[in-house]
């Protein structure tokens, strides 16, 4: 037996290397993403960072907070700290705090250090003094701003002293705490938390940020220490977007929101799309790096690759910068755009298309609608890829509204990624709105005739004559005759299609219009 094994030893070795090689080559994306986090040692620190439960509003029920807590305890059963950075409540009412605490006290791991900050919504109902006193009493925090050292790592919480405001005195205190942290160990990251982000750091901070007053002082204080990792909430912008981490003098990260999502205006889905989105972060600190994982609580899954910050942190090694990505999104060769027939009306059409691919995130699309007759752009819309949803829809279906009846449009879709790189290629389709009456249908027939969609001019003329008679019935609101006449019109269409006098496309469009008018008058 031993001799037989020795004779085949070379084959076994070859097979072993082959299997290992195949495993390395074909490991799925999720495995490769996870490998960025693994290290020879266990993490020195593990802590979640979440915000904005806003208990007390419709979207701010305890269920989403409870769901997030359960998942965090499942994926991180041994947490060193639990960080919550503001807007526990919607109005700062006692009953809202009590509801928040009912979940927090049930699920908080007993060994964790509790790090809780105040947000602007805690100031909505009570006076400033009442709000601060209530926050400290309910959460058990010693003060609004404080510093803690855990396993040699510094945690600094900033607390707004009224909505959106941080005083010069607090910023001076911050400067001293940062200096102390650096003196303890200049090679370790310093974790700073505040409810409001600084302007023009993360996604959404061009609109949502602290007041101009003292913002420069705060930014200058943080900028002296590249090892700072500032974590904020407030914006409600989804963590799925890669711009939620940004490095410039220091690192800024946004935690998203537990309660609901907010995002940019000017998109077809609106600033607050009607869909559940609940986000947060899990941070793991190793000797040589900090790993930040993004969580979609509404989908019970991680988002993309973890963000990895090598330590000691140095500005020259910053990689999460404005110019980090210049790769354009692209459509695959088999991608297509089509019109959804049952979503087409006289003033709108529905479109459906295969989503574009991108190395980081296909964020949105530019949807351009051009009137084929005038060759002028009618609409130039933006639409999210709906990347924030639990399951990203593919194909994506969108409404295109504000169109004219009985009009032929050319629709073009171009992909845009999170860093505003635009796809070179586009998807195109022709859409035709339905006619509301006979004159509109005659207009369509005329355009189809000019486009060469009829085998003979006589075929188009027969349809026009039929529609002229229909106009007389419409003027007199003779519903029964209108319906009967349109049924005859459909028979004429069937005849022309059978004898190849009309194209398949024109047949489908005019038949759909005839059904639309019949339904209108029935």
């Amino acid at each position: 037996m031993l001799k037989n094994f020795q004779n085949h030893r070379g084959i076994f070795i070859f097979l072993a290397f082959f299997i290992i090689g195949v495993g390395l080559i074909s490991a799925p994306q999720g495995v490769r993403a996870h490998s960025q986090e693994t290290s020879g040692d266990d993490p020195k620190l593990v802590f979640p960072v979440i915000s904005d439960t806003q208990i007390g509003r419709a979207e701010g029920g305890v269920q989403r907070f409870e769901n997030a807590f359960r998942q965090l305890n499942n994926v991180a059963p041994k947490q060193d700290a639990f960080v919550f950075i503001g807007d526990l409540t919607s109005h700062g009412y006692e009953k809202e705090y009590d509801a928040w605490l009912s979940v927090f006290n049930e699920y908080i791991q007993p060994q964790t250090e509790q790090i809780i900050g105040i947000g602007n919504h805690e100031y909505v109902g009570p006076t400033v003094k009442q709000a601060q006193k209530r926050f400290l009493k309910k959460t058990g925090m010693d003060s609004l701003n404080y510093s803690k050292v855990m396993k040699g790592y510094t945690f600094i919480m900033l607390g707004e002293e009224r909505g959106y405001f941080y005083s010069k005195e607090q910023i001076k205190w911050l400067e001293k705490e940062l200096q102390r942290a650096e003196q303890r160990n200049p090679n370790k990251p310093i974790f700073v938390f505040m409810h409001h982000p600084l302007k023009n750091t993360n996604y959404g901070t061009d609109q949502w940020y602290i007041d101009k007053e003292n913002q420069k002082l705060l930014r200058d204080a943080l900028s002296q220490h590249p090892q700072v990792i500032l974590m904020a909430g407030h914006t409600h912008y989804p963590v799925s977007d890669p711009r939620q981490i940004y490095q410039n003098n220091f690192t800024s990260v946004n935690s998203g929101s537990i309660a609901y999502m907010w995002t940019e205006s000017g998109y077809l889905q609106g600033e607050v799309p009607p869909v559940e989105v609940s986000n947060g972060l899990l941070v793991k600190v190793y000797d040589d790096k900090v790993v930040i994982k993004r969580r979609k609580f509404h989908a019970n899954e991680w988002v993309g690759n973890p963000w990895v910050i090598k330590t000691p942190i140095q500005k020259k090694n910053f990689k999460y910068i404005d110019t980090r990505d210049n790769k354009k999104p692209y459509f695959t060769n088999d991608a297509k755009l089509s019109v959804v027939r049952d979503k087409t009306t006289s003033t709108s059409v529905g479109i459906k298309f295969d989503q574009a691919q991108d190395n980081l995130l296909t964020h949105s699309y530019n949807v351009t609608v051009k009137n084929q007759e005038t060759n002028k752009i009618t609409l130039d819309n933006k639409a999210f890829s709906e990347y924030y949803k639990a399951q990203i829809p593919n194909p994506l279906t969108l409404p295109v509204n504000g169109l004219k009846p009985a009009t032929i449009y050319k629709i073009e879709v171009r992909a845009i990624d999170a860093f505003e790189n635009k796809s070179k290629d586009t998807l195109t389709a022709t859409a035709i709105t339905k006619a509301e009456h006979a004159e509109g249908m005659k207009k369509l027939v005329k355009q189809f005739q000019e486009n060469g969609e009829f085998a003979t001019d006589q075929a188009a003329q027969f349809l026009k004559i039929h529609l002229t008679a229909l106009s007389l019935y419409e003027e007199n609101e003779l519903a029964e005759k209108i319906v009967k006449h349109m049924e005859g019109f459909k028979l004429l269409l069937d005849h022309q299609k059978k004898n190849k006098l009309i194209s398949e496309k024109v047949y489908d469009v005019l038949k759909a219009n005839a059904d639309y008018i019949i339904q209108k008058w029935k």
Side-chain angles (χ1 to χ4, degrees), residues 21 61 64 92 133 140 144 164 234 257 269 281 294 340 352 464:
R64 294 183 186 182
K133 183 178 179 181
L144 298 183
Y164 297 79
H234 185 65
S257 165
Q269 293 90 342
L281 306 172
R294 296 169 284 165
V340 184
K352 180 174 69 174
K464 290 177 186 177

Side-chain angles (χ1 to χ4, degrees), residues 508-520:
D508 289 340
V509 170
L510 294 180
K511 187 172 184 296
N513 273 271
D515 289 335
Y516 186 70
I517 290 177
I518 288 171
Q519 192 62 36
K520 177 182 174 182

